Amino acid sequence: MRMYDLIMKKRNGGTLTEEEISYMIAAYTADRIPDYQMSAMMMAIYFKGMTQKETVALTMAMAQSGDMMDLDGIEGVKVDKHSTGGVGDKTSIALTPMVAACGVNIAKMSGRGLGHTGGTIDKLESFEGFSTGITAEQFKRQVNEIGIAIMGQTLDIAPADKKLYALRDVTATVDNMSLIASSIMSKKLASGADAIVLDVKTGSGAFMQEEEDAFALAREMVTIGNRAGRKTIAVVSDMDQPLGCAVGNALEVQEAIATLKGEGPEDFTELCMTLGSYMLIAGGQAEDEKEARKMLAAVIADGSALKKLEMFVQAQGGNPAAVLNPDLLPKASIVEEIPAPKDGFIGKIDCQEIGICSLILGGGRETKDSAIDLSVGLVLHRKTGDAVAFGESLATIYANDRKKLDMARERFLNAYHITEEKVQKNALIKGIVTEAS
Ligand code: URA
């Protein structure tokens, strides 16, 4: 088989066979196909697209390009959750203890933040000593013992995706539905869970800015997951404004803890209840959403979800005292309000810009290896549709550097649009995509 022939076939609108796709991915992972040929292939796919069969074959080939996590040693149904990423998305930190407290095993692999979106691992490291660098054996033991473990990408999970993603990033071939779906699902399939609940974001802070594209991506991923024998469901949710109020690592952890005490922001709590319900149904613990919601509300009310977070933090080396006393989390030295420049209603919020404000303050990475400041960020006091009067606080800003604070404040004010007319609040849940829908 020659890569040249495969590129030409795709360039001319042909359909690649499963054998051709497996050959191409295996050879590229082993450095037997150069980046320039794979770049040409990515561009041909970008313009000519892939059939669903091709996308499934690409996903399976990428999933099998490295370690396939074997979770057989863990009892019960293992449920994973994945978000396509956004601003203020601390969902995993609150949701996974809620679901684990209801009896569904959480064996999850998470990543770090890059660019304007945060990552679960960075946020969890706000607990002093917390580590996701655990072995596969420890990981499985912990899930069996306490029902929840999160590990970093320490295994060689989907190395083909790692190489391809870096290549797509510099060849303008990231935003293709088949390529995104296969990239995400290859890692999920290799991570070994029996069921996968996806949170596909749409809006100005998301990868898929248009709702229609988010639904198409959701459908593609649900099909891939179910064809691979994993029960997969997707929730399409709003990312046209940050999720909840906190943006920044330790601040988001604090908000997740508040949510486990029943004191979280309404939108964030609702998203956890929705995703959690589908995780309980997929894990066989609830018959329907009504029953699942009741169970999730109960573990918040009786404190068992919060207790589960405490056990999880302790098991992975973090300071569990910070769960009960969030004052022990990293703290910024400068705390200031951002007053509204005029009366009105909050209109559009440029969500990505809010993520960038946190990045400017030091809360995100400019490059893969930069250190981050866990204590900085913002807590929003007004969101889309809310009224505000001149001088009232739009947000509190947490910083450790005056210059960075000034830069972030200026960008924040440009990202927050205040209008004279009241603006409709966005619907949080845009829809649910199942195999049958
Ligand atoms: N996230 C991924 O893992 N891959 C993509 O292609 C896009 C988002």
Side-chain angles (χ1 to χ4, degrees), residues 214-227:
F215 273 99
L217 176 63
R219 280 193 294 272
E220 193 88 2
M221 293 197 290
V222 166
T223 302
I224 294 172
N226 285 307
R227 282 215 187 167

Side-chain angles (χ1 to χ4, degrees), residues 166-224:
L167 192 69
R168 287 166 55 214
D169 207 18
V170 292
T171 54
T173 51
V174 169
D175 52 339
N176 171 276
M177 200 74 68
S178 292
L179 296 178
I180 295 173
S182 56
S183 165
I184 293 175
M185 291 306 288
S186 63
K187 287 172 284 206
K188 288 289 114 185
L189 298 184
S191 300
D194 306 306
I196 303 160
V197 175
L198 300 161
D199 180 11
V200 180
K201 304 286 193 191
T202 180
S204 65
F207 217 66
M208 292 283 140
Q209 305 223 332
E210 302 302 325
E211 216 170 297
E212 195 185 322
D213 296 338
F215 273 99
L217 176 63
R219 280 193 294 272
E220 193 88 2
M221 293 197 290
V222 166
T223 302
I224 294 172

